Amino acid sequence: MIASSELILNPDGSVYHLNLKPEHIASDIIFVGDPDRVEKITRFFDSIEFSTQKREFKTQTGNYKGKRITVISTGIGPDNIDIVLNELDVLVNIDLENRLPKNNLTSLNIVRIGTSGSIQADIPVDSFVLSKWGLGLDNMLRSYLIEDISNTEITDHFIKHTGWDLNKGKPYVTQCSEKLEQKFDSKDIHKGITATAGGFYGPQGRILRLNIQDENLNAKMDAFNFGGNRITNLEMETAAIYGLGKLLGHECLSLNAIIANRASGTFSENPEKVINELIHYTLKKFIE
């Protein structure tokens, strides 16, 4: 039996942070970062059966053209992904009454719709990136046993190529769901490695008043290539989603609306437009 200090439930029996019960979620789930973006997706639903919010975690479940879909806001960063993915897994794979893992496990389909900045000059603003791989620079996943799901060849090549300082922790690389990659791919989408940082400023090479450990890291990442796989973009969630998803047995994919290009110094003139286009693209692919 899992102790109440480890599996924390609210008085109504819902999981602690998400405020959800098993019947509240679908097997097809969309992640967004911003709580305000949840309704920008569910406004296209034919009906909404459930809605709740606790802190930054807003959830709505409804029906879109015959498919039941849940949309959840995760907030920002790998630490929030740790909460959301573990608690979603609790809802489908742990018997909450007996506090024991179920014998028959459920695999969720999870697609992240995120905004991101490209670090490649040829991946322009207002384009889409499908994250073939997630490169974790954040350390969160290192709290788990990840050797069986981490690509050590890409990881070791990245460490050598960048001269990575292991005082910052050892990076890790995990792959997207091949099933969802096939379903959501198209000729219009860029693919590559998405780097996941543990912060927005220094960890992503931004310098305001503080010096950073490696001012040239972004340029080194821009030049990185392993077997034709380049680092396409930099954000704060994808690698954590991929890693926990593989460890827990869920199918995960990250789709990114590129609203900034760090190489050219450009920013989208209409970021809401490209985000809405990615929302429509994702919903269409879900029902195909």
Side-chain angles (χ1 to χ4, degrees):
M1 178 182 288
I2 303 171
S4 58
S5 60
E6 312 306 295
L7 171 54
I8 305 171
L9 301 179
N10 295 311
D12 66 353
S14 62
V15 290
Y16 183 61
H17 296 91
L18 300 186
N19 209 33
L20 297 172
K21 296 179 181 180
E23 62 268 25
H24 294 153
I25 65 166
S27 58
D28 293 310
I29 297 174
I30 295 174
F31 281 179
V32 294
D34 185 353
D36 289 340
R37 195 170 292 156
V38 171
E39 291 186 356
K40 291 181 180 179
I41 297 174
T42 60
R43 64 181 171 170
F44 300 111
F45 284 14
D46 301 310
S47 61
I48 296 173
E49 66 182 69
F50 176 79
S51 182
T52 190
Q53 181 169 3
K54 185 177 180 183
R55 301 184 184 182
E56 62 266 54
F57 308 114
K58 181 172 182 174
T59 303
Q60 290 192 330
T61 295
N63 186 283
Y64 178 76
K65 297 186 177 181
K67 179 170 284 289
R68 189 171 185 249
I69 299 174
T70 293
V71 185
I72 298 177
S73 62
T74 65
I76 297 174
D79 52 341
N80 275 18
I81 296 302
D82 184 56
I83 291 171
V84 174
L85 256 166
N86 273 292
E87 292 195 0
L88 284 175
D89 185 74
V90 163
L91 292 173
V92 295
N93 289 323
I94 292 179
D95 184 325
L96 297 183
E97 184 175 342
N98 298 316
R99 292 179 168 272
L100 291 171
K102 295 178 180 178
N103 293 323
N104 298 316
L105 301 179
T106 296
S107 179
L108 300 170
N109 297 314
I110 298 169
V111 177
R112 175 182 183 264
I113 296 178
T115 55
S116 184
S118 167
I119 65 171
Q120 300 290 343
D122 62 338
I123 300 179
V125 296
D126 302 333
S127 62
F128 300 160
V129 166
L130 183 156
S131 306
K132 175 82 174 178
W133 301 91
L135 166 62
L137 310 177
D138 55 280
N139 289 325
M140 185 279 289
L141 210 67
R142 288 287 175 190
S143 294
Y144 300 95
L145 302 175
I146 65 170
E147 293 310 313
D148 289 344
I149 57 115
S150 182
N151 187 302
T152 55
E153 285 187 291
I154 300 178
T155 301
D156 292 345
H157 188 65
F158 174 80
I159 291 170
K160 181 178 179 181
H161 173 82
T162 59
W164 183 265
D165 185 350
L166 291 177
N167 286 320
K168 296 192 292 186
K170 188 176 181 180
Y172 59 91
V173 176
T174 50
Q175 190 175 358
C176 72
S177 160
E178 293 184 26
K179 181 185 85 170
L180 292 183
E181 178 187 5
Q182 292 176 5
K183 184 174 180 63
F184 285 84
D185 197 7
S186 76
K187 61 181 178 59
D188 299 320
I189 280 190
H190 299 272
K191 292 199 287 187
I193 302 170
T194 293
T196 295
F200 184 77
Y201 289 97
Q204 293 190 36
R206 292 182 172 92
I207 300 173
L208 302 180
R209 289 203 313 117
L210 298 176
N211 293 327
I212 60 176
Q213 184 270 329
D214 186 352
E215 294 184 7
N216 299 312
L217 180 59
N218 281 13
K220 295 173 187 175
M221 290 198 295
D222 178 62
F224 179 80
N225 191 308
F226 184 89
N229 291 295
R230 301 180 300 164
I231 298 175
T232 50
N233 59 310
L234 189 58
E235 46 83 272
M236 295 179 63
E237 289 82 28
T238 294
I241 293 171
Y242 285 5
L244 282 173
K246 285 208 176 293
L247 288 172
L248 293 167
H250 303 298
E251 305 285 344
C252 298
L253 187 72
S254 180
L255 301 175
N256 305 271
I258 300 301
I259 61 171
N261 187 292
R262 301 289 296 280
S264 63
T266 55
F267 193 84
S268 174
E269 293 182 1
N270 191 348
E272 285 300 314
K273 181 174 181 289
V274 66
I275 293 166
N276 283 334
E277 288 173 349
L278 184 55
I279 289 170
H280 285 294
Y281 179 91
T282 304
L283 289 173
K284 179 173 178 266
K285 288 291 185 179
F286 254 123
I287 63 172
E288 286 182 351

